[in-house]
Amino acid sequence: MSEPSQRSIEASNDVLTVFSGSSPEDVSHARLLWSTLCMATPLESRLVSSDIPQRLPVSRPERSGHLEPRRAEPPNLNAAKQREEERQRYMAMAAQRKETLALLRRQREQRIQKELLSLAFKPRTPRDKAHKDKTNELNMEEEMVRQLD
């Protein structure tokens, strides 16, 4: 512990520790005992500790022993070629997307045609009839509203 904090502990022990009716030798032994039993604060509760580094290391850019000279390549030639290849890839993807959408559209139209053909041969269920009745009621209500206008 530091010197000033040790003095303040000793001063507080002198003030707070009272041994009345004991011999001076017993008092000195008791004070010595209580001063040794005074525990130090745990490391976690201290604000600063010599065991823990207080600052993070400063990051510095790495320096290599030699610098590589930059090559003087014409960027326009390579960049233009890459852009053209990328453009062709995107065009191929767009064409494939159009084909896929056309195929899906044809399949949907075929499915709808098959459903319309089979609709005439499907048995009517009470649910279909109830739905038809509701639509008839709605049509009748709309017609009455129009007549009121």
Side-chain angles (χ1 to χ4, degrees), residues 124-142:
R124 302 265 178 187
T125 61
R127 185 181 64 182
D128 292 340
K129 188 176 181 183
H131 179 68
K132 196 172 187 181
D133 290 341
K134 286 182 184 178
T135 56
N136 285 339
E137 288 176 18
L138 288 174
N139 289 338
M140 287 176 28
E141 287 178 9
E142 288 176 4

Side-chain angles (χ1 to χ4, degrees), residues 41-52:
T41 58
L43 184 64
E44 294 86 14
S45 66
R46 294 182 189 168
L47 293 177
V48 177
S49 172
S50 61
D51 298 342
I52 301 171

